Amino acid sequence: MATLPFELVSPERLVFSGAVTEVIVPGAEGEFGVLAGHAPFIGMLKPGILTIKGDGAPRAYFVRGGFAEVNPAGLTILAEEAKPLDELDLGALHQQIQDAKEDVADATTDETRQRASRQLADLEQVYAALEGGRAAGGH
């Protein structure tokens, strides 16, 4: 299977760099997959699970904020936060949910309230998925 160059970057570090066969990205407009030869594209990220497929078992990362860019050179994701699922602290994620609830309560316009509500819903969905996976014997 053809590979594409992929980089996952957070403000702190280069989280992942290498040739992969597919990346499944939690996009703001919906989840999307990127394979070699994908058309150029830029999309915003929503909080969620990014899955990298290549040699060996798929790797899963929690990402929040930022954007993905597909171009002829490959896929680059610049995320406000990106970390392997096994390094994700559910307590920190729970705190992000509390902060998002405060953002919803503090919103002064409908647009701000809707944006904060979407962020809150995305974070709660990730938290529920992670809790369910851990309870079922996953990570």
Side-chain angles (χ1 to χ4, degrees):
M1 182 172 244
T3 61
L4 75 148
F6 170 61
E7 287 191 343
L8 174 59
V9 182
S10 74
E12 297 85 34
R13 64 189 170 118
L14 175 63
V15 179
F16 180 93
S17 179
V20 301
T21 56
E22 181 181 16
V23 180
I24 301 168
V25 182
E29 301 296 321
E31 190 174 80
F32 61 93
V34 179
L35 301 165
H38 195 288
F41 173 81
I42 295 179
M44 299 299 294
L45 299 180
K46 73 172 188 176
I49 308 302
L50 175 110
T51 304
I52 302 170
K53 297 180 180 180
D55 292 339
R59 297 183 187 123
Y61 293 81
F62 170 74
V63 294
R64 182 179 62 82
F67 66 93
E69 178 182 9
V70 183
N71 61 40
L75 169 63
T76 302
I77 293 184
L78 303 174
E80 291 174 22
E81 181 179 2
K83 58 182 63 174
L85 277 190
D86 56 4
E87 292 179 17
L88 184 63
D89 177 358
L90 281 181
L93 182 57
H94 183 72
Q95 183 58 51
Q96 290 178 8
I97 290 170
Q98 294 308 314
D99 294 345
K101 286 180 179 178
E102 290 175 16
D103 291 345
V104 171
D106 295 344
T108 56
T109 67
D110 285 344
E111 182 183 344
T112 305
R113 189 174 300 104
Q114 288 174 352
R115 191 176 320 117
S117 294
R118 279 194 303 272
Q119 177 87 348
L120 174 59
D122 292 341
L123 288 167
E124 287 177 333
Q125 184 179 11
V126 170
Y127 187 84
L130 292 174
E131 281 259 284
R134 290 182 181 188
H139 287 134

